[in-house]
Every structure is written in structure tokens, then in C-alpha cells.
Amino acid sequence: MTISDVNTAFAAEKTAQIERVRDVERRFQARIDRGEVRMIGGDRYQVLTGWDRGEVFSVSRNAQGQIEAIIANHGLDTRADGTIALYASSPAWHGLGQIIPGGTSDIDEVLGLSGLDFEVATVPALYQWGGELREHVDQQHTVRTDTGAALGAVGRKYTPIQNRAGFEFLQELVGRFDVVWESAGLIRGGKRVFISIRLPETVAVDADGINDIVVPYVAVMNDHTGNGQFQCVVTPWRPVCANTERFAVRDAVTRWAVRHTAGAIDQIKEARRTLGLSVTYFEQFAAEETALARTDIALADFHKVIGDLWPLEDDAPDRTKNNHAARTGALDDLFRTETERVGRTAYAAERAITGYLDHIAPRRPGKSMTEEIARATASLEGADDDTKSKAHKRLLLLRQR
């Protein structure tokens, strides 16, 4: 039997721990020296290069001044006091933001905590030519009135939809149904802002069988860059797997949008019609999902659906074939996991596909985003809605065999 010297082992372990800390310090300082990172005040730093360019993170140090943790802000903006510009009624997956347990029904409090309490103005688009400053008469710029930060270049007819004016139409719903504001925040320096509420009634899929619960949300997004509309979406969300299930269910309305014009606010009031139809949407949604939950499916059928969504040509290059094989493998793993939970059904297949799109599919983040925020933004904006709807319709066809 080998007898270990405890003191020697402890000393070796402690030396290794110290060396790891020093290595973190050296690598972090090297990034600063190379111009990849710069300090912007206190313990906060900003990334200057690569995919994460513009992202702000904090460095936590111990009493000896050594780095304990590097905490990314996940692409979320910060308020004037340095806190994260995000409000939520419960802690988010990243643990950041201003949390009010149980939420609040006060829109002004939400706007303040989330950093959405700013307005947007338009200013002339100017340029230098021949030593003089000229104005582009057909264009203007949107800017934040609190910081002066530029948000986008827009046409002359563009009229900003202010955050409060755009979101307050939901306040009536908050009061009527006794619900609270679920979350609110801004990304890309305030170029995109969002707010959401959770509707009071949950939806049960196959209530007499698997009884899978879906939580209905209403999310509103506003764009201040001139490249997007003001839009309101009804979003089914499954807490078990954190998937968003926004399908084009027959004729039920799931999305409503308006352009930034002088009459936009009056049109936004019509969004209540969308909210009124949300009940119809969820009734139809539950019926179709229940049908999928009662439709058995073979692995070969699942692969046919995958082939329809992501077709592979016979003469595709090896890289494409390898990517296709990796995707199919990931989808198979998800399908197996879902079948253990809800059975080998078309419903499990749909869960696997939405899970892949929401959590695994490659997602290249923008300049000021982490991959996690890029995924969350894609879900909120419905980047994969068409693919999800195609899968939904394709799987519904299996009922008729």
C-alpha cells in the first residue's frame, strides 16, 4: 500500500491552484496588451475584437486582488448606474437584471428598471462635402434623447414609436386580467427593445394523456433603427424545455405589426384585436398539438420530416454532408429524450425539432451579443417560425395515414 504525505500533497495542490490563478491573470492581461479588451471603469471591461465585440463584462476579484470570475453581461445593455438594463419577474437563466419577485403591474416601474425610460428623436442626416456640412434632405437619423447615441438611419416620413406609448396599450390587459409584466429590456444599445406579459390561463396539450402544459405569453418588440417594425406576437412557451412554439396554426392570428408612421399609435390600439383572438389561437393550438400527441411515429418517418426541412443533395460537398449528419444525430438524441417523456409520437418529433432550433442550431451572434442572447433574440423575433410551421404541418399529415 502506498502512503501519501498529506502535507506534500496539500502543498502541491495549493501550488497548482495559485498557478491556475496566475495563468488566468496572464491570459487576461495579454488580451488587454493586444488591444482585444479595454477597461471602461471600475471592474468593467469591453471586448474590442471578434464576434463578441462591444460586449461588456465584469471582473470579480478576491481580497488579494486576484481574478475570481469573469462575468459576461450577455450582450444586454447597462443603465446609468452600471446595472443591467433588464427587468424580470423571476431570475433569468443568466442571473442578471433587476428582479421583482412575483413581478409588478406598474408600467413606469418596469420602464425604469429595464432602462426603457428613454425617448427617441430624429435629427438631420448631415455629411461633409467640399469642406462644408450638407444635409441629406431625404434622410434623418434616430437618436436617444438621454445619451445622444445614434440608433439608425431612416426616411423623412419615419416617426418614432416611443417605448412608453408603444407598450402602454398592454396596461389595460394587465389590469383586466390581474397579470404582471413578465420581462422587459433592450439590446444593441437600445436599437431593439422588448416587453412581455404572461396570460393568466395555461394551455394543456392532451389533457387526458401526457397533459403537457404550455404557458401563453404576449411579447411586444419595437425597433428604432428603421430596419424593423413595431410588432406584437402571441407566443406559446413550454417551461419544461424552454421552447417557443410559434406556429402558423390555421387562420388564428399570432403576429401583428405596424410601420413607424405618423398614424402608428392609433393603429397600435388595434392590437387589442390580436390579443382578443389569442384565445382562439390557443384553443386551435391545443387541438392540433393533442392530435400530434396521439399520432405514433417511427424513426424513419422522423427522418423523412428532417429531410423535408433540411434537404441534402446527392452531390453535396463533404462538409455539407458532415453538417447534415451532425444535425441528424443531434435531432435523434433530442427525439429519444422526448419519447421518454411523452412517448414515440409526432408530438415528440415536433418537440425535438423546436428544441434543436431554439437551443442547438448554429447561431452566429451580432457584434454586441453572446450566442445565448442571439438565440433568445431569434426566438423572440421568430427567426425560425417558418421552419417550425413547416414541421408542424408536415407532422400533422401523419394523422391521415
Side-chain angles (χ1 to χ4, degrees):
M1 180 177 67
T2 303
I3 300 176
S4 301
D5 185 329
V6 176
N7 289 329
T8 300
F10 175 78
E13 182 179 348
K14 197 66 177 177
T15 299
Q17 290 175 349
I18 293 172
E19 185 57 31
R20 283 195 294 271
V21 170
R22 288 175 176 170
D23 186 52
V24 171
E25 292 277 0
R26 284 193 294 266
R27 286 188 283 112
F28 184 67
Q29 186 59 48
R31 294 194 66 188
I32 295 176
D33 294 341
R34 291 195 299 268
E36 297 174 1
V37 174
R38 70 181 177 93
M39 178 182 287
I40 58 175
D43 60 354
R44 297 171 64 241
Y45 295 79
Q46 184 177 45
V47 180
L48 302 177
T49 62
W51 282 6
D52 293 333
R53 184 173 59 183
E55 181 180 335
V56 174
F57 62 91
S58 302
V59 174
S60 173
R61 298 180 182 273
N62 59 22
Q64 289 74 43
Q66 300 168 326
I67 293 178
E68 286 188 322
I70 296 176
I71 308 168
N73 289 351
H74 295 280
L76 296 166
D77 290 337
T78 54
R79 304 189 305 170
D81 61 3
T83 56
I84 300 301
L86 173 72
Y87 153 79
S89 64
S90 58
W93 46 267
H94 44 58
L96 302 173
Q98 322 309 311
I99 310 300
I100 296 183
T104 178
S105 59
D106 186 342
I107 187 173
D108 291 312
E109 187 174 18
V110 171
L111 294 177
L113 291 172
S114 63
L116 296 179
D117 54 347
F118 67 88
E119 292 194 344
V120 176
T122 55
V123 297
L126 305 176
Y127 63 98
Q128 288 279 353
W129 183 263
E132 65 176 359
L133 195 62
R134 296 187 179 183
E135 179 181 352
H136 191 315
V137 295
D138 295 325
Q139 197 173 57
Q140 53 187 345
H141 289 183
T142 50
V143 298
R144 290 179 56 158
T145 58
D146 57 342
T147 64
L151 301 176
V154 299
R156 297 297 296 182
K157 294 182 178 180
Y158 181 96
T159 301
I161 298 175
Q162 304 300 342
N163 295 334
R164 195 186 197 289
F167 295 148
E168 65 182 358
F169 80 97
L170 287 177
Q171 184 69 51
E172 179 183 330
L173 200 67
V174 171
R176 186 194 315 166
F177 292 112
D178 193 29
V179 296
V180 297
W181 298 99
E182 188 70 21
S183 63
L186 57 151
I187 52 179
R188 303 170 189 158
K191 294 178 180 179
R192 295 279 292 178
V193 298
F194 66 89
I195 199 165
S196 72
I197 61 173
R198 173 176 173 171
L199 297 178
E201 298 295 331
T202 57
V203 178
V205 174
D206 192 16
D208 297 327
I210 60 174
N211 194 34
D212 207 17
I213 301 301
V214 176
V215 179
Y217 283 86
V218 174
V220 179
M221 292 153 283
N222 197 4
D223 181 285
H224 294 305
T225 68
N227 295 319
Q229 296 177 308
F230 177 96
Q231 57 182 316
C232 170
V233 296
V234 177
T235 304
W237 181 70
R238 183 164 286 95
V240 172
C241 50
N243 289 357
T244 53
E245 315 293 347
R246 201 154 61 241
F247 306 128
V249 176
R250 293 175 64 171
D251 297 326
V253 177
T254 59
R255 182 188 296 270
W256 181 92
V258 63
R259 297 176 62 187
H260 292 71
T261 61
I265 294 299
D266 289 335
Q267 295 181 56
I268 286 173
K269 295 176 181 178
E270 292 297 313
R272 292 190 182 92
R273 180 177 61 86
T274 297
L275 301 181
L277 289 173
S278 65
V279 174
T280 302
Y281 171 77
F282 282 111
E283 288 175 352
Q284 186 62 43
F285 172 84
E288 293 189 5
E289 294 297 282
T290 297
L292 293 181
R294 296 175 180 176
T295 302
D296 294 333
I297 183 175
L299 184 61
D301 292 324
F302 181 52
H303 283 176
K304 287 180 181 179
V305 174
I306 294 174
D308 288 344
L309 298 176
W310 294 282
L312 179 67
E313 300 295 336
D314 293 337
D315 59 349
D318 289 343
R319 181 176 180 180
T320 300
K321 291 180 179 178
N322 291 336
N323 289 340
H324 187 275
R327 182 193 301 114
T328 301
L331 285 162
D332 283 348
D333 289 342
L334 290 170
F335 183 51
R336 279 192 293 271
T337 299
E338 289 297 333
T339 57
E340 292 174 0
R341 188 174 69 87
V342 298
R344 186 180 285 273
T345 63
Y347 184 71
E350 189 175 72
R351 300 286 66 69
I353 292 168
T354 56
Y356 173 80
L357 291 169
D358 285 345
H359 306 298
I360 298 177
R363 188 78 64 185
R364 181 166 180 166
K367 294 180 181 179
S368 61
M369 289 183 175
T370 61
E371 185 173 349
E372 292 89 346
I373 285 295
R375 289 190 185 282
T377 302
S379 293
L380 194 66
E381 296 176 340
D384 296 314
D385 283 2
D386 288 344
T387 302
K388 291 178 179 180
S389 284
K390 184 176 180 180
H392 180 75
K393 294 175 182 178
R394 178 66 176 79
L395 289 165
L396 282 173
L397 293 176
L398 297 178
R399 297 177 305 169
Q400 303 170 4
R401 294 183 305 174

